[in-house]
Amino acid sequence: MASAQRATGPDKRRMILDAAVVVFAKKGFHACRVSDIADEANVAYGLVYHYFRSKDEVLDTLFLERWNVLLEVITEIDRQQLPARDKLYAIASFIVDSYRHDPDLMKVIIVEVTRAANSFGRTHLTTIREAYALIAGIVEKAQADGSFRCAVTPGFAALAFYGAIEQVLTGWIFDMLPRGEEEFDEAKAFIVETICGGLDADRASARAV
Amino acid sequence: MASAQRATGPDKRRMILDAAVVVFAKKGFHACRVSDIADEANVAYGLVYHYFRSKDEVLDTLFLERWNVLLEVITEIDRQQLPARDKLYAIASFIVDSYRHDPDLMKVIIVEVTRAANSFGRTHLTTIREAYALIAGIVEKAQADGSFRCAVTPGFAALAFYGAIEQVLTGWIFDMLPRGEEEFDEAKAFIVETICGGLDADRASARAV
DNA sequence: CCAGTGGTTGACTGACCAGTCAATCCGGAC
DNA sequence: GTCCGGATTGACTGGTCAGTCAACCACTGG
């Protein structure tokens, strides 16, 4: 009846990926079994191996699908004629909205890939670094045109900026921070305000290094 | 001959813990076997279970030992009569030096506990949060006495600050950032400079929320 | 010299699970 | 209607590994 009932070919592949997101988010990649994915997708165990070479490849696919979108979006934001601060806001906004739209997927990507230095993080290191490099590029240009100070290196600023975003998402993932439409928008503003504006009331002590 | 040869009782326990740090750091908690720990410690397999109820308990012990030191240090720093910026510098300094002194241990704690939302992170959530709360307390007092702006909430500032530190450590853990005496000291300064000073050249846009 | 106690050993077991594969289904081509 | 090939099924296998346990060792105190 519904297309889900008669789904075939690539549709089933998609169903497996979506099911994997749910299962990985709930139990974690290592703790869940391939049969959990198959069950969640209402599909036979073996079909997972028809579409993917291994359990790992399912996670790889999820990560790459999403991270490539992120890289494109950052590139596109950077192409626009905007103050660096607004560009950073747009990036924070996109990532926070990604979480708002699909918290499970973002949880899986952050917990199982981005922060997993012993497994998938290492595998996708090059891809992950591309995002940092793009952000660093934005900072570098802003420092060149004088809108950002030169107190820290662009690469370092990118790390701190992305680190702050990820820490906030982690706060939501761990249920440490309240989640809601207001909180999401507030977070975007706070991240940019902290990194760009700083905490100091006066900046007498701030000198270029 | 050497005491390691004739070690007994609690010494062996310590040897197991130290060996676990090496093994967890090299292969990751999930990927390594209990026999790897025993081999690294030059101890029989079963002895691990004489001193610890389970493989999990070994990691729990490592984490709690170190995190409690961190909590004490932060408390002590906060007790001193110092500008908030210097307190944050002291905290960043302690964490960076912890990494400098024992990178494997810090790697294990960050990768396997602090950032592991699906396993040990959840277990130790309360303990982890205590550190954030202490940092937030420092920010809050600084905002009250006017040395920090009130643009963001203390809890959020704590998250961003700790997130920046962890991201830098992660950079070292992933071999993304160069490691060395200079880099370590530079990192401490950069972290505090970014979070306290901010990136903006002028702060026209910075208004209290 | 002989228990007794606590540390130490490592072979073994039971459970678990990724990945395989032979069989079956189904829709289209002719 | 028959045949073909890709999609789909799920029982089964092989290997792994956490945790157990019965035996062994080394010191101590009587």
Side-chain angles (χ1 to χ4, degrees):
Chain A
M1 210 148 293
S3 65
Q5 294 287 332
R6 292 277 72 218
T8 179
D11 290 345
K12 288 264 174 109
R13 189 186 131 96
R14 187 77 256 160
M15 285 166 72
I16 291 168
L17 285 170
D18 292 344
V21 169
V22 173
V23 170
F24 290 166
K26 198 184 314 179
K27 307 179 67 171
F29 178 81
H30 290 290
C32 85
R33 284 154 281 161
V34 173
S35 64
D36 292 335
I37 302 174
D39 291 352
E40 178 72 32
N42 284 311
V43 140
Y45 185 92
L47 198 62
V48 175
Y49 288 90
H50 179 71
Y51 287 109
F52 304 93
R53 259 191 300 269
S54 65
K55 190 185 172 189
D56 285 17
E57 200 183 85
V58 177
L59 180 56
D60 286 342
T61 304
L62 288 171
F63 168 73
L64 288 172
E65 269 187 10
R66 192 69 205 159
W67 202 262
N68 283 329
V69 172
L70 175 66
L71 293 178
E72 280 166 31
V73 167
I74 297 178
T75 305
E76 184 48 40
I77 288 168
D78 192 21
R79 219 194 306 278
Q80 290 174 247
Q81 197 69 27
L82 285 171
R85 197 194 169 102
D86 293 352
K87 287 182 181 177
L88 295 186
Y89 182 84
I91 293 169
S93 208
F94 175 75
I95 297 176
V96 169
D97 287 339
S98 295
Y99 182 79
R100 189 205 311 250
H101 178 257
D102 193 343
D104 280 351
L105 177 58
M106 289 304 280
K107 172 174 178 176
V108 169
I109 286 173
I110 289 179
V111 172
E112 308 293 350
V113 185
T114 280
R115 302 195 141 194
N118 284 313
S119 49
F120 294 91
R122 270 248 123 66
T123 312
H124 294 293
L125 196 54
T126 315
T127 313
I128 295 170
R129 288 175 84 152
E130 282 178 44
Y132 298 155
L134 289 172
I135 296 170
I138 292 173
V139 173
E140 197 171 7
K141 276 180 282 180
Q143 287 181 338
D145 74 20
S147 55
F148 275 0
R149 302 185 303 139
C150 296
V152 303
T153 62
F156 196 91
L159 221 54
F161 173 68
Y162 182 79
I165 295 175
E166 223 181 62
Q167 198 69 15
V168 171
L169 293 214
T170 304
W172 289 325
I173 289 167
F174 272 95
D175 299 312
M176 291 175 53
L177 244 42
R179 265 165 297 194
E181 296 305 305
E182 274 177 47
E183 280 78 7
F184 291 136
D185 288 334
E186 191 184 61
K188 300 173 188 177
F190 274 6
I191 290 164
V192 176
E193 186 55 40
T194 304
I195 298 295
C196 295
L199 297 177
D200 283 343
D202 79 273
R203 268 205 317 227
S205 59
R207 288 278 145 67
V209 176
Chain B
M1 213 142 295
S3 67
Q5 293 289 330
R6 293 276 70 218
T8 178
D11 289 345
K12 290 263 174 110
R13 189 187 130 99
R14 186 77 258 160
M15 285 167 71
I16 291 169
L17 285 170
D18 292 344
V21 168
V22 174
V23 170
F24 290 166
K26 198 183 314 179
K27 307 179 66 171
F29 179 82
H30 290 291
C32 86
R33 283 153 280 157
V34 172
S35 63
D36 293 334
I37 303 174
D39 291 351
E40 178 73 30
N42 283 311
V43 139
Y45 185 93
L47 198 63
V48 175
Y49 287 90
H50 179 72
Y51 287 109
F52 304 94
R53 260 191 299 270
S54 64
K55 188 185 173 190
D56 284 18
E57 201 183 85
V58 177
L59 180 55
D60 286 342
T61 305
L62 289 171
F63 168 73
L64 289 173
E65 269 188 10
R66 192 70 205 157
W67 202 261
N68 282 329
V69 173
L70 175 66
L71 293 177
E72 279 165 32
V73 167
I74 298 178
T75 306
E76 184 50 39
I77 287 168
D78 192 21
R79 220 194 305 277
Q80 291 173 245
Q81 198 67 28
L82 284 172
R85 192 193 239 264
D86 294 351
K87 288 182 181 178
L88 295 187
Y89 181 84
I91 293 170
S93 207
F94 175 76
I95 297 176
V96 168
D97 286 339
S98 295
Y99 181 79
R100 189 204 312 249
H101 178 258
D102 194 343
D104 281 351
L105 177 58
M106 290 304 281
K107 173 175 178 175
V108 169
I109 287 173
I110 289 179
V111 172
E112 307 294 350
V113 185
T114 282
R115 302 195 143 193
N118 284 312
S119 50
F120 294 91
R122 270 249 123 65
T123 312
H124 295 293
L125 195 53
T126 316
T127 312
I128 296 171
R129 288 174 84 152
E130 281 177 45
Y132 298 155
L134 289 171
I135 296 170
I138 292 174
V139 173
E140 195 171 9
K141 278 180 282 180
Q143 287 180 337
D145 75 20
S147 56
F148 277 181
R149 304 185 301 139
C150 296
V152 305
T153 62
F156 196 91
L159 222 55
F161 174 68
Y162 182 80
I165 295 176
E166 224 182 61
Q167 197 69 16
V168 171
L169 293 214
T170 304
W172 289 324
I173 290 167
F174 272 96
D175 301 311
M176 290 175 54
L177 243 43
R179 265 166 296 193
E181 296 306 303
E182 274 178 47
E183 279 79 5
F184 291 136
D185 288 333
E186 190 184 62
K188 300 173 189 178
F190 275 5
I191 289 164
V192 176
E193 186 56 41
T194 304
I195 298 295
C196 295
L199 296 177
D200 284 342
D202 79 272
R203 267 202 323 223
S205 59
R207 289 278 147 65
V209 177

